[in-house]
């Protein structure tokens, strides 16, 4: 499960914008917003490019967030 809040915090921390990220991913901003809202799936290449863009070697906590036990009930 994707964690939008963690990605948004990282963008602010790295002083980067969603517009810049969309350009780096070679997608339009609307597509990025759909991905961030969980309406569209992230491709493996986009995950790798996002890690590169943010200078983070491991974005597992963003793209593979574990669901809580409450969500599974």
């Amino acid at each position: 499960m994707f964690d939008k809040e963690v990605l948004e915090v990282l963008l602010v921390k790295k002083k980067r914008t969603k517009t810049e990220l969309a350009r780096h991913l070679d997608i339009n901003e609307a597509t990025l917003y759909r991905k961030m809202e969980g309406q569209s799936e992230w491709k493996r290449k986009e995950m790798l490019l996002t890690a590169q863009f943010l200078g983070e070697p491991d974005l597992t906590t963003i793209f593979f967030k574990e669901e809580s036990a409450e969500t599974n009930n």
Side-chain angles (χ1 to χ4, degrees), residues 55-72:
E56 295 287 327
D58 183 11
L59 294 182
T60 304
T61 57
I62 294 175
F63 292 109
F64 302 103
K65 176 184 170 187
E66 302 250 352
E67 292 186 48
S68 69
E70 294 175 9
T71 306
N72 292 329

Side-chain angles (χ1 to χ4, degrees), residues 12-47:
V12 170
K13 180 180 171 184
K14 302 286 184 165
K15 297 181 179 156
R16 305 305 295 259
T17 67
K18 292 176 189 172
T19 301
E20 292 171 326
L21 176 57
R23 278 193 210 120
H24 187 76
L25 298 175
D26 197 26
I27 60 176
N28 65 44
E29 288 182 62
T31 301
L32 177 61
Y33 280 93
R34 282 193 296 277
K35 289 178 184 298
M36 292 186 74
E37 293 300 324
Q39 299 168 357
S40 180
E41 294 291 321
W42 287 85
K43 296 175 184 170
R44 182 176 186 272
K45 181 178 180 180
E46 293 166 340
M47 292 179 198

